[in-house]
Amino acid sequence: MDLSNSRITGILILIVNLQLTDNVLLRELKKRPHIVVIIADDLGWNDVGFHGSIQIPTPNIDALAYNGAILNRHYVQPTCTPSRAALLTGKYPIRYGLQGPPIASGKASALPTNETILPQYLKELGYSTHLVGKWHLGCHQKRFTPTKRGFDSHFGYWNGFISYRNSTHATQTMSGIDARRGFERAGNEMDRDRYATDVFTEEARKIIEASKRENTKMFLMVSHLAVHSGNSGPNHLEVLNKTYNDEAFGYIENENRRLYAGMVTSLDDSVGKIIKSLHENEMLENSIVVFMSDNGAPTDDPLWGHDNFGSNWPLRGKKASVLEGGVRGVAAIWSPWLKEKNIVSNNLFHITDWLPTLYTAAGGNIEDLGKIDGVDQWKSLTDTLKQVRSKILINIDETRGEEALIFNQWKVVKSNRTNNMVFNLKYAGDPGNAGPKYNMSGVVASAVGKCLSEINCLTQDGCMNASTARDVFYVARSLAKVDGQICPERVSNSNPDQQYECFDGYCLFDILQDPCEYRNVAKQNPQTLNATIHMLERFKKEITMQTPFPIVDPDADPRRFAGYWEPWLEPFDKA
């Protein structure tokens, strides 16, 4: 849909007039909110419709974003373990030595137990705390697993991924079932007749229903397997129904991309069912819902062995890279507390900010959190919209020689010339411009669209009709898109080894003007370059070095535990 400048101006004025005012309902919303955090695994920047792609419809995720706030400068860590650690601790992974690669199964590594994490803080405020899906923060001893780290319940898996059909987690040397309900083995709950995304969605709905019955304040973290690939091999991209999938996405030429589209569709359906369950149980009007990806998509990456053919277009880099494609993540928040909805926020936001932000929203005192890196953004989100961050440490990986930091619009980057690094620095991923016309009416009519529009009506001076909603949402979509007009030089098949100067020193990018990190402007801005390098050097003085990478412990072999992955450094029963 093309909108003229005058049309956009009129719609923006309408948005302002529809914003939250001093109304009776919100004055009565004094109870602590339910908190729901939905994490997609390896979802690419360009794999949601609200960033401009038309290739894979995501009506429920889009409706969540449009009805709330799109966080368009939301930064995460390059891979899954560091991102989850940062989210739960409110601290950069350099503080506890997890700034490197994800924790590999069979290796005795974990988030240190002296780090207090989000569910522990929320339990102190009277919340029930639940994790569904992925953990990936250590499991070689029970003390490192979710129900020993503040979660009242966990249903899911401990390692980095499983098969979508049978909960098997396989490495090059070991294979076993990774399915848990607390410490109980739960392989029978994720058998070949059930699809993991649906299994985790059903569990989330049960927790919501139980929280309603028990009248408890709920923190629910749904850490999806989707859209991470399953076990390595020719069938590592698993969809709910391949026949239907091929028919629905026949316009996508690449078969792997078609399979990925089906995985995204199941994820989107999950978001719809979770929001609908909150609404049906009369909890949505007193909830905060956050949706995010843990890092960028690995696209077509054979070096990792878990390429999922997601897309970070037009951003440079992919999962495992500190470039935008690896760390500028999909994110949105909805809550009736948001004073301004239907907005795109370009304020800097880092994944560490969620701990202090959600803790404040839950009624906690920020001083209780001690020294953390996260910044409390609750007032900014709900009231002022002021930028409260000017600096983000993306990462310092001293073993790989990789580092990056953002200061205002500037980003300083240094990388290492290794084969793995070179591959992760290229431009890759489908542009997402081939497919059916974007269906904004479908977004408005989606499960999430219907539920949130009903709640938003209670917290605004009147409701938007469907036509107005479509226009308002189109404006948000146009503001959230990073397209070729901003990145005219973006080249899909560029050779990073020839065109990437950051191997030999520091690069500086103006990521507001050049979000695709094509133009190194270090020579033109020497003072800014030196200032940002100095910031990095200060962080280096505070780093906890990574421990020597542990070897795979043969004692972790699931064959020792009746075919299950277990905390292998605990006493065990072979029976």
Side-chain angles (χ1 to χ4, degrees), residues 203-485:
E203 180 70 13
R205 294 173 68 181
K206 289 178 180 177
I207 291 170
I208 292 168
E209 292 165 2
S211 297
K212 170 65 175 178
R213 287 195 307 269
E214 298 163 9
N215 195 28
T216 59
K217 247 348 135 189
M218 175 190 72
F219 168 55
L220 171 60
M221 182 167 152
V222 184
S223 185
H224 268 296
L225 169 62
V227 285
H228 197 292
S229 61
N231 291 305
S232 297
N235 299 314
H236 70 300
L237 300 177
E238 302 174 70
V239 295
L240 181 62
N241 185 322
K242 190 175 186 308
T243 300
Y244 169 79
N245 193 75
D246 286 343
E247 294 174 355
F249 299 106
Y251 54 86
I252 300 177
E253 293 183 5
N254 186 296
E255 180 181 4
N256 287 314
R257 180 72 175 164
R258 286 200 302 273
L259 292 171
Y260 177 79
M263 296 160 68
V264 174
T265 297
S266 291
L267 172 67
D268 186 76
D269 289 343
S270 173
V271 173
K273 291 173 182 176
I274 291 171
I275 298 297
K276 185 177 181 181
S277 181
L278 287 168
H279 191 43
E280 290 173 344
N281 286 280
E282 300 177 327
M283 295 164 65
L284 185 59
E285 63 268 25
N286 190 27
S287 290
I288 299 167
V289 182
V290 177
F291 177 86
M292 72 175 82
S293 180
D294 62 345
N295 45 249
T299 61
D300 55 345
D301 191 343
L303 296 175
W304 277 85
H306 286 283
D307 48 322
N308 67 359
F309 291 83
S311 174
N312 304 312
W313 180 283
L315 304 179
R316 184 171 197 159
K318 56 185 72 175
K319 177 179 179 177
S321 167
V322 293
L323 295 178
E324 296 290 276
V327 296
R328 185 171 175 176
V330 175
I333 180 174
W334 178 89
S335 176
W337 275 270
L338 299 185
K339 185 174 182 179
E340 296 190 32
K341 300 181 177 67
N342 325 120
I343 64 167
V344 178
S345 172
N346 284 303
N347 290 348
L348 280 175
F349 202 110
H350 189 254
I351 193 169
T352 55
D353 296 344
W354 287 115
L355 183 140
T357 298
L358 295 176
Y359 187 69
T360 296
N365 184 343
I366 193 72
E367 301 298 325
D368 297 339
L369 301 178
K371 185 179 179 180
I372 58 174
D373 298 299
V375 175
D376 177 11
Q377 303 237 26
W378 185 239
K379 185 173 178 60
S380 174
L381 287 170
T382 58
D383 187 15
T384 66
L385 295 181
K386 291 181 179 178
Q387 177 155 307
V388 295
R389 249 193 193 280
S390 61
K391 178 171 62 179
I392 289 174
L393 175 67
I394 296 298
N395 202 28
I396 300 172
D397 187 337
E398 76 282 7
T399 63
R400 296 177 65 186
E402 179 185 59
E403 53 197 74
L405 176 142
I406 291 173
F407 178 62
N408 292 327
Q409 79 269 34
W410 304 104
K411 182 176 180 182
V412 61
V413 177
K414 186 178 182 181
S415 299
N416 187 21
R417 195 187 295 266
T418 66
N419 289 334
N420 189 24
M421 184 66 67
V422 169
F423 191 86
N424 289 331
L425 296 176
K426 72 175 186 176
Y427 296 102
D430 198 294
N433 56 4
K437 182 179 179 181
Y438 188 73
N439 184 7
M440 189 64 82
S441 295
V443 172
V444 174
S446 68
V448 173
K450 291 178 179 178
C451 293
L452 295 190
S453 64
E454 184 173 333
I455 300 300
N456 283 353
C457 283
L458 301 176
T459 59
Q460 295 181 157
D461 286 345
C463 300
M464 291 186 291
N465 60 37
S467 177
T468 301
R470 287 195 298 269
D471 286 350
V472 169
F473 294 171
Y474 267 119
V475 170
R477 186 170 185 256
S478 67
L479 295 174
K481 184 179 180 180
V482 176
D483 59 22
Q485 292 181 343

Side-chain angles (χ1 to χ4, degrees), residues 165-191:
R165 293 290 182 185
N166 59 17
S167 67
T168 298
H169 173 75
T171 71
Q172 292 181 340
T173 59
M174 301 178 186
S175 180
I177 298 172
D178 190 359
R180 292 284 157 181
R181 184 172 291 283
F183 290 117
E184 298 298 319
R185 297 172 177 175
N188 61 320
E189 297 189 62
M190 289 189 279
D191 58 28

Side-chain angles (χ1 to χ4, degrees), residues 44-109:
W45 173 267
N46 199 41
D47 294 325
V48 291
F50 71 79
H51 277 158
S53 175
I54 61 173
Q55 195 171 64
I56 306 174
T58 52
N60 289 293
I61 295 171
D62 292 1
L64 177 70
Y66 296 142
N67 278 285
I70 297 171
L71 304 180
N72 231 33
R73 295 184 73 195
H74 181 271
Y75 285 89
V76 295
Q77 299 303 121
T79 58
C80 28
T81 291
S83 276
R84 284 163 173 74
L87 168 68
L88 293 177
T89 64
K91 298 179 182 180
Y92 296 133
I94 66 164
R95 306 297 186 193
Y96 35 82
L98 285 184
Q99 62 269 31
I103 294 174
S105 43
K107 296 186 177 183
S109 180

Side-chain angles (χ1 to χ4, degrees), residues 316 413-417 425 495-509 517-524:
R316 184 171 197 159
V413 177
K414 186 178 182 181
S415 299
N416 187 21
R417 195 187 295 266
L425 296 176
N495 184 341
D497 200 22
Q498 293 178 351
Q499 301 187 25
Y500 191 64
E501 302 169 63
C502 314
F503 293 134
D504 303 314
Y506 289 95
C507 281
L508 185 70
F509 301 105
E517 296 169 296
Y518 191 86
R519 299 181 292 276
N520 175 21
V521 294
K523 293 180 181 179
Q524 295 89 335

